[in-house]
Amino acid sequence: MHKHTLEGYYTRILLFFGLLCVFIVPPFQMVDEDSHFKKAYLVSNFVILPDVIDGHYGNLLPKSLLEFEHNHRYMIRDVTQKYNYSKFYFSYALPQDYSEKQFATFSTSKTHPLLYLPQASGILVAKIMFLFNEDLLTPGTILYAGRIGNLLFFALCFYFAVKWIPFLKRTAVLVGLMPMTMGLASSLNYDAMVIGVSLLFIAYVFKLAYTNDSIGTKEIVILCVFSIALIEMKMVYFPLLGLFFLVPKKKFKSTWDYIKNFAIIVFSGIFVHAAWGLITRIGLASPSDDSGYILDQAKFILNNPVNYTGILIRSIFENFQFYIISFVGNLGWLDTNFPYVFIFGYLLFLVLASLFDSNGIALKASNRLLLFFVFISIVILIETSLYLIWTSIPEIGGIGYPVITGVQGRYFIPCSLALLAIFSNALLSRSKWGGKTTVVLDRCLPMFVLFSCILMDLILILRYWVPEV
């Protein structure tokens, strides 16, 4: 590692294996990629709002794109179905006509276009590259260009997150190069942007809190931009702004200045979110077609707080094993799994890395308590949001259903560094035994990361390309 910076070395690994993953995984074989593909394509054409026809949200899309997506659905959740080179070749080689359009409904039609800027940027670059021959801009080319744009954006966030974070550098590397994170980053899924921006924000706040960096107008403006991004990407991660209170008061002119700047940061996110809500309300001019279930479920929670607390705790315990599996690596449409020994080995390595990854920085008990509170707040919001939006649907659960459904481990990746920071132990790192352990971890980390990336791509090849005998 003496020849390269830590962030540079691992970003190269991320890009190399991520690009392999971009082309190894067949079209639409990462979860919800069909819907993300449609939205990314629309944003690349500067279409940011859905249309409403007969009370249904959707958009007019080229029929050839819809047929391309339909022709690749046969592998979803069927591990016996495989891909081959001829399908791979024709997916990007055959020219298509985009003039004939058809109205299509899809789950991300109302999603904020901000989440698709990386994918849309990749698609726009491809459009510019192939201006001389539009026949080369096939549906497959559009999909792979969007994936590459997503990967490059995540790699940029990863690079600066590892560069900025004053401790937990090894831990940040392990979170960023986890199979689940890598799989999302090399797909069209907007979770790549959510994870990347969240890791970057946590790293930036830790940098402000635990280094000698001063805080001026520039830093407050940057935090305001993060505030806007967090609330617009996924509101459940907005409590990450609470990490602001890790920053010592002495870096501000007074206590009032401290509180005032925090209020400005929070208000900037809320104001932009409210403005966007007004724009979409005016632009759509139609009530939501699924708000009834959400409101009824919200009333159930408010009228039965004790009962809901029990549902929340029960759901976490019952689904804990699935959360662990889908946190580390559950690729495809939750149908491409890793050996359990690898899953739990990765988690063990994460915890060990965080224990000995203090870089001499000792966290106060109050800081650990704040980190825990922020993490738990996000967990509760994630569980509750899925209970409102997903579990409330009668075909899935219904109002007052005893278990929260739809929560996946990948939803906890954006806030995982906040939890892992609690384990950081400066005394342990400074001890003689701790120093030796740190040396061993440093030597093992590159090998472990390379093994994990190779195993990921190997499993994807076996899942999608190697026919069963």
Side-chain angles (χ1 to χ4, degrees):
M1 209 65 60
H2 61 283
K3 293 183 180 179
H4 307 282
T5 62
L6 192 75
E7 59 272 13
Y9 177 77
Y10 287 108
T11 301
R12 290 184 183 92
I13 290 177
L14 187 153
L15 286 171
F16 178 79
F17 287 99
L19 284 170
L20 284 177
C21 194
V22 164
F23 294 102
I24 288 173
V25 178
F28 311 111
Q29 299 312 307
M30 277 298 290
V31 65
D32 299 328
E33 200 174 26
D34 52 342
S35 294
H36 295 304
F37 175 70
K38 298 182 183 78
K39 188 69 175 184
Y41 175 79
L42 288 164
V43 174
S44 74
N45 285 293
F46 306 102
V47 178
I48 62 173
L49 291 175
D51 299 319
V52 184
I53 297 180
D54 297 329
H56 296 288
Y57 292 96
N59 288 95
L60 288 171
L61 285 155
K63 193 173 180 181
S64 57
L65 289 185
L66 298 175
E67 290 175 351
F68 173 68
E69 179 250 315
H70 177 75
N71 291 336
H72 286 86
R73 297 190 66 84
Y74 68 95
M75 285 178 290
I76 294 177
R77 296 192 180 93
D78 186 352
V79 295
T80 63
Q81 297 293 336
K82 304 296 176 180
Y83 206 50
N84 58 50
Y85 180 76
S86 63
K87 292 176 183 175
F88 172 73
Y89 174 76
F90 289 122
S91 73
Y92 69 80
L94 291 180
Q96 298 288 335
D97 176 26
Y98 297 116
S99 59
E100 187 178 355
K101 296 189 176 182
Q102 179 180 326
F103 181 78
T105 60
F106 50 101
S107 61
T108 58
S109 60
K110 293 185 287 181
T111 303
H112 199 292
L114 172 69
L115 288 159
Y116 294 93
L117 288 182
Q119 306 92 312
S121 298
I123 295 170
L124 277 172
V125 169
K127 287 180 178 179
I128 294 169
M129 287 173 61
F130 299 129
L131 275 176
F132 66 93
N133 190 347
E134 293 185 355
D135 286 345
L136 295 177
L137 194 68
T138 63
T141 300
I142 292 170
L143 180 135
Y144 292 123
R147 284 181 174 181
I148 291 171
N150 214 20
L151 177 65
L152 291 176
F153 177 83
F154 179 80
L156 188 67
C157 291
F158 173 83
Y159 175 88
F160 283 102
V162 178
K163 182 181 175 66
W164 288 346
I165 199 166
F167 67 111
L168 294 181
K169 284 185 182 291
R170 305 175 191 87
T171 310
V173 165
L174 286 167
V175 171
L177 294 177
M178 259 192 328
M180 193 74 240
T181 311
M182 291 274 286
L184 293 167
S186 54
S187 74
L188 293 169
N189 198 303
Y190 62 55
D191 279 348
M193 184 180 190
V194 175
I195 294 170
V197 171
S198 299
L199 292 180
L200 191 61
F201 171 74
I202 293 171
Y204 188 68
V205 173
F206 283 2
K207 180 173 178 283
L208 295 178
Y210 299 111
T211 67
N212 294 324
D213 286 13
S214 59
I215 298 179
T217 304
K218 183 185 78 172
E219 286 73 25
I220 298 301
V221 170
I222 291 172
L223 289 172
C224 287
V225 173
F226 273 119
S227 174
I228 294 167
L230 287 172
I231 197 170
E232 294 299 348
M233 290 189 309
K234 278 191 177 181
M235 200 183 300
V236 294
Y237 301 114
F238 201 53
L240 282 173
L241 290 180
L243 298 180
F244 174 86
F245 292 110
L246 293 172
V247 181
K249 288 182 183 179
K250 63 183 180 182
K251 291 198 173 188
F252 295 84
K253 297 175 184 177
S254 62
T255 302
W256 164 245
D257 188 52
Y258 189 57
I259 295 171
K260 180 190 72 175
N261 280 295
F262 178 69
I264 290 171
I265 292 164
V266 172
F267 178 75
S268 63
I270 294 173
F271 175 79
V272 172
H273 184 69
W276 174 253
L278 182 63
I279 291 169
T280 54
R281 187 177 293 273
I282 294 172
L284 296 177
S286 177
S288 174
D289 52 7
D290 55 2
S291 60
Y293 299 140
I294 296 173
L295 290 173
D296 289 343
Q297 193 78 297
K299 289 176 183 177
F300 170 80
I301 293 172
L302 293 173
N303 292 330
N304 303 275
V306 176
N307 190 7
Y308 178 66
T309 301
I311 291 172
L312 185 64
I313 295 170
R314 185 189 312 118
S315 299
I316 292 173
F317 277 99
E318 287 188 9
N319 296 318
F320 190 74
Q321 183 176 337
F322 173 68
Y323 292 168
I324 293 296
I325 292 169
S326 54
F327 175 82
V328 175
N330 189 12
L331 305 182
W333 285 73
L334 308 182
D335 57 8
T336 306
N337 298 303
F338 289 75
Y340 290 148
V341 66
F342 171 79
I343 297 286
F344 289 97
Y346 206 105
L347 283 176
L348 178 62
F349 206 117
L350 263 176
V351 174
L352 282 174
S354 61
L355 279 170
F356 298 94
D357 208 1
S358 68
N359 198 24
I361 295 173
L363 271 66
K364 298 177 182 177
S366 58
N367 287 353
R368 296 181 196 275
L369 189 62
L370 175 62
L371 287 163
F372 181 74
F373 177 75
V374 168
F375 177 77
I376 289 298
S377 299
I378 294 172
V379 169
I380 292 171
L381 286 174
I382 290 171
E383 297 281 348
T384 303
S385 66
L386 268 296
Y387 194 62
L388 293 169
I389 298 168
W390 183 252
T391 311
S392 63
I393 300 172
E395 294 80 7
I396 294 167
I399 308 303
Y401 196 67
V403 178
I404 299 170
T405 60
V407 179
Q408 299 173 31
R410 63 189 168 103
Y411 301 153
F412 304 115
I413 298 176
C415 58
S416 59
L417 271 185
L419 176 66
L420 291 164
I422 298 171
F423 300 124
S424 176
N425 193 315
L427 289 175
L428 194 62
S429 299
R430 284 196 291 260
S431 67
K432 183 178 179 181
W433 181 78
K436 291 180 179 179
T437 304
T438 302
V439 171
V440 172
L441 286 172
D442 280 339
R443 290 176 178 174
C444 291
L445 183 62
M447 292 185 293
F448 183 79
V449 164
L450 285 171
F451 169 76
S452 172
C453 291
I454 292 170
L455 179 65
M456 176 189 70
D457 284 339
L458 177 61
I459 286 176
L460 290 171
I461 290 170
L462 290 172
R463 161 65 180 90
Y464 291 111
W465 292 85
V466 179
E468 297 182 355
V469 179

